[in-house]
Amino acid sequence: MDVIIVKKKIKLILLIIFLLSELILGILVQTTNGNLNSFVMYMVVVLAFIFPLLFFDKNNDFILTLIGLLFTLGADFFLVILVPYIELPAMISFSITQICYFIRIFLNHKTIQEKRIHIITRITLISLIIIFAVILMDGQIDLLTLISAFYYANLISNIIFAFKQTKVSILFPIGLLLFALCDLQVGISYVNDYYISFANIPILNFIANPPINLAWVFYMPSQVLISLSIIKLKKEFSN
């Protein structure tokens, strides 16, 4: 029994170190620049991937989420580390991440009806968003836009159905929501830079041109929460 208590205390200390490390990195994301800033941002995702390995479990949620975090790591390599960044492989990697999360959510459905509703809803949402993207691009859609639309449709679907499984994990849907808010900020900024100026709309102008790295204000905690969502915190740390 004493050995078990010691192990739990060690794991608790490691959890605190992980959270403090991510907090410090989150602050450094906002206060550094250049190559150091890129390194700091990437370390946020690296730690989010590595930490759950200390609590390795063979269940579906753990394996699928860990694979998702691994592909997130790959996506951010193309977007954060490489100069210039390469968007297409990054969005393909992010799409694989969301597919892993989709499978995690799907396997946690209890009934055939829930699974059927999930599939119909997801296919419908993906189709609508891709059609919207084609219309928005006036039919001149490229592979990057297509993959991006597929990715975001899956992310939105995952958020919807993950929030229906809060008894399984409340951290997971919140993490996905923050993930989407990060993408929303990036999207608004992109539209402002290349399509429509939001200079006369104060809220959108602030989001498009924030005084801080607003995307990572959402992205850093999203990865931490998704990472923690596969650790059975009550089991690991309760006496």
Side-chain angles (χ1 to χ4, degrees), residues 42-233:
Y42 199 61
M43 284 305 300
V44 167
V45 191
V46 170
L47 286 183
F49 170 73
I50 291 176
F51 181 69
L53 293 174
L54 301 173
F55 303 82
F56 189 84
D57 198 333
K58 293 181 180 180
N59 67 67
N60 291 328
D61 285 4
F62 193 100
I63 299 298
L64 289 165
T65 305
L66 198 64
I67 294 172
L69 289 168
L70 178 61
F71 276 95
T72 299
L73 201 59
D76 283 324
F77 175 79
F78 291 108
L79 292 178
V80 174
I81 298 299
L82 289 188
V83 180
Y85 61 83
I86 308 176
E87 290 182 285
L88 183 57
M91 294 314 301
I92 291 173
S93 294
F94 274 137
S95 295
I96 295 173
T97 292
Q98 294 307 318
I99 290 171
C100 288
Y101 296 162
F102 150 59
I103 298 172
R104 167 183 171 171
I105 295 165
F106 187 79
L107 291 178
N108 280 322
H109 287 314
K110 301 299 183 183
T111 67
I112 296 297
Q113 184 179 11
E114 286 179 327
K115 292 180 178 180
R116 185 180 295 116
I117 291 172
H118 186 153
I119 292 297
I120 293 172
T121 303
R122 184 175 294 269
I123 291 175
T124 301
L125 189 56
I126 291 172
S127 300
L128 288 174
I129 289 180
I130 289 177
I131 290 171
F132 176 76
V134 171
I135 294 172
L136 188 66
M137 298 294 289
D138 195 25
Q140 303 299 313
I141 194 166
D142 56 19
L143 183 57
L144 176 60
T145 304
L146 188 64
I147 294 294
S148 298
F150 174 81
Y151 152 75
Y152 204 70
N154 276 285
L155 174 55
I156 297 302
S157 298
N158 286 340
I159 291 170
I160 293 170
F161 288 100
F163 268 107
K164 291 181 176 293
Q165 297 180 355
T166 52
K167 290 183 179 180
V168 177
S169 173
I170 185 61
L171 299 182
F172 187 52
I174 295 174
L176 290 175
L177 179 60
L178 290 171
F179 207 141
L181 290 175
C182 167
D183 287 337
L184 181 62
Q185 191 282 324
V186 172
I188 290 174
S189 180
Y190 183 83
V191 170
N192 179 73
D193 290 341
Y194 295 99
Y195 293 100
I196 304 170
S197 174
F198 295 130
N200 296 322
I201 308 175
I203 294 177
L204 292 179
N205 184 57
F206 173 82
I207 295 173
N209 303 285
I212 59 174
N213 190 335
L214 186 57
W216 278 77
V217 169
F218 298 121
Y219 190 61
M220 185 277 287
S222 81
Q223 297 310 298
V224 171
L225 291 178
I226 291 171
S227 177
L228 292 177
S229 76
I230 52 176
I231 299 172
K232 298 175 181 177
L233 297 175

